[in-house]
Amino acid sequence: ATGLLLVLPGLAQRNTPQFLRLSEDNDALNVRGRGTDREYTNGTRLEVYYTKNTKPRFPSTLLISLGGGAHIQDLYGAGLTHLMYTPWDLTREDITPESRPYTGVLSATHSLVSADPVRHQKLTTAIGLGVLGRAALGKELQTWMHQVIHSGTPQGWDHQLPTDVVISYLIGYEKLLVQPSANVQLLGAMGASLGTISNCLNAGITFRAGIFGDYFTDYPLPSAGRHPGQGPASRKCQFYFFIRPEGRLVVHDAVLQGGFFTGRRADHTMGRDLMKRGFGQLEYGAVFSYHRLGISVSETLLTAQYGGAPSHQVGNLTLFVGL
């Protein structure tokens, strides 16, 4: 987080900062009010979004803009992400073939959200570079967190995945399918992830209902004031609910099957025969924003990702601050 804040002055010289977004995933944030501390157990993301005042340079040239008109709105992002995965039983010191390996993921990301409000479409591309395994400091972070909340110390981190490199490229496309009224709309989405951390395809839909602005004009932040070349934001206050079912086809998942270079040296990885190549998830939640502040609260339900795995619930709390 400190490193990201240090780059803000440099970004401001060539770019116009738009907003900050802080997002926290945790399996303790669910409607049941009970944490499971297993599977995908925690994820933290800090991102700054900005518009460019100059021609894009490397690595921004690796990202894809819809281009082709003055109405296209390109919003760039830079961020840090930390993810943490653990098996279902943290009290065991040994490892079992049917359990998920311990691991963390730490990466820096650079993204571009390219929106076309005329054709009601949005293209998101992102590149990531970081580390998987011991160097991601998952053991140190979870042990410290458990000490703070006076919970039992996880016992199996000595068997976590060895350090490996994370190189990723993500692409996602969204399109308005139908909007019967100003307060209800249905969006379609499809995407892919390539690289050393994950190779998968996904598709889904998003249903929104409530008071909201143009999804293809207001960027990911609901109502952050003025946008370049635009008038005032369409909604100073927004409040809406959303439901997002999604299906995913997985070719390779390094947090289960080990890193690209060091997977064979791992104490334990998920066997290919136990991997489920397809699984589904359902996210639902609500978004509220007023002027330059916004908050999103949601929960995601995931089906089993490998043989013997439980279904899983992960909550999310996201804060937006317009700059």
Side-chain angles (χ1 to χ4, degrees):
T2 302
L4 182 62
L5 294 176
L6 289 176
V7 305
L8 287 178
L11 288 175
Q13 294 177 5
R14 303 185 305 272
N15 313 291
T16 302
Q18 295 294 331
F19 67 92
L20 287 170
R21 181 167 66 181
L22 175 62
S23 176
E24 175 70 16
D25 292 330
N26 198 286
D27 54 0
L29 300 174
N30 56 59
V31 294
R32 297 180 304 163
R34 299 176 56 189
T36 54
D37 226 4
R38 67 186 185 193
E39 302 298 315
Y40 173 44
T41 183
N42 190 81
T44 303
R45 299 172 180 84
L46 177 60
E47 301 159 293
V48 57
Y49 287 89
Y50 56 94
T51 50
K52 283 187 174 293
N53 301 323
T54 59
K55 186 177 180 180
R57 298 181 295 182
F58 184 85
S60 298
T61 50
L62 298 176
L63 305 173
I64 304 173
S65 171
L66 290 171
H71 60 280
I72 302 298
Q73 300 179 19
D74 285 345
L75 186 71
Y76 290 85
L80 292 173
T81 298
H82 188 272
L83 310 175
M84 191 185 306
Y85 301 85
T86 61
W88 64 272
D89 187 355
L90 302 185
T91 65
R92 298 186 63 130
E93 296 184 12
D94 59 344
I95 54 178
T96 58
E98 69 278 3
S99 65
R100 174 188 286 274
Y102 284 86
T103 194
V105 179
L106 177 62
S107 63
T109 58
H110 183 39
S111 62
L112 169 60
V113 181
S114 186
D116 183 345
V118 175
R119 295 181 175 85
H120 308 293
Q121 59 183 350
K122 182 183 292 185
L123 180 66
T124 301
T125 48
I127 53 178
L129 180 64
V131 291
L132 161 81
R134 295 182 185 275
L137 304 178
K139 173 184 179 180
E140 290 76 6
L141 179 59
Q142 189 176 53
T143 300
W144 173 78
M145 290 176 62
H146 276 235
Q147 291 174 345
V148 171
I149 63 176
H150 303 290
S151 181
T153 301
Q155 298 298 310
W157 274 104
D158 288 343
H159 300 291
Q160 67 178 302
L161 295 179
T163 298
D164 212 312
V165 64
V166 168
I167 303 173
S168 64
Y169 193 93
L170 288 79
I171 183 168
Y173 177 77
E174 296 170 277
K175 174 74 174 177
L176 177 65
L177 299 179
V178 61
Q179 185 163 350
S181 74
N183 303 111
V184 176
Q185 69 178 186
L186 186 67
L187 305 155
M190 60 189 303
S193 174
L194 303 171
T196 63
I197 185 71
S198 176
N199 289 277
C200 67
L201 300 173
N202 62 276
I205 57 174
T206 299
F207 171 80
R208 297 204 303 169
I211 302 172
F212 48 75
D214 186 350
Y215 185 75
F216 304 99
T217 299
D218 285 348
Y219 299 134
L221 172 65
S223 189
R226 293 177 181 270
H227 299 301
Q230 303 292 324
S234 56
R235 296 280 186 180
K236 290 184 178 180
C237 181
Q238 298 187 64
F239 180 68
Y240 61 88
F241 299 93
F242 68 90
I243 301 175
R244 184 179 294 122
E246 179 182 298
R248 186 165 298 182
L249 178 64
V250 180
V251 178
H252 178 80
D253 187 347
V255 299
L256 283 170
Q257 298 175 275
F260 185 82
F261 296 103
T262 62
R264 293 185 178 181
R265 302 206 308 265
D267 289 350
H268 166 58
T269 59
M270 186 60 57
R272 182 179 293 272
D273 57 327
L274 291 177
M275 290 289 297
K276 290 185 179 293
R277 297 305 175 186
F279 70 92
Q281 65 180 51
L282 174 67
E283 183 183 10
Y284 54 89
V287 175
F288 173 77
S289 70
Y290 184 72
H291 286 287
R292 293 180 176 272
L293 299 177
I295 184 171
S296 170
V297 180
S298 67
E299 179 171 85
T300 300
L301 310 179
L302 300 100
T303 62
Q305 298 178 46
Y306 56 91
S311 58
H312 195 42
Q313 294 174 278
V314 180
N316 173 269
L317 176 64
T318 299
L319 301 177
F320 308 88
V321 180
L323 300 174

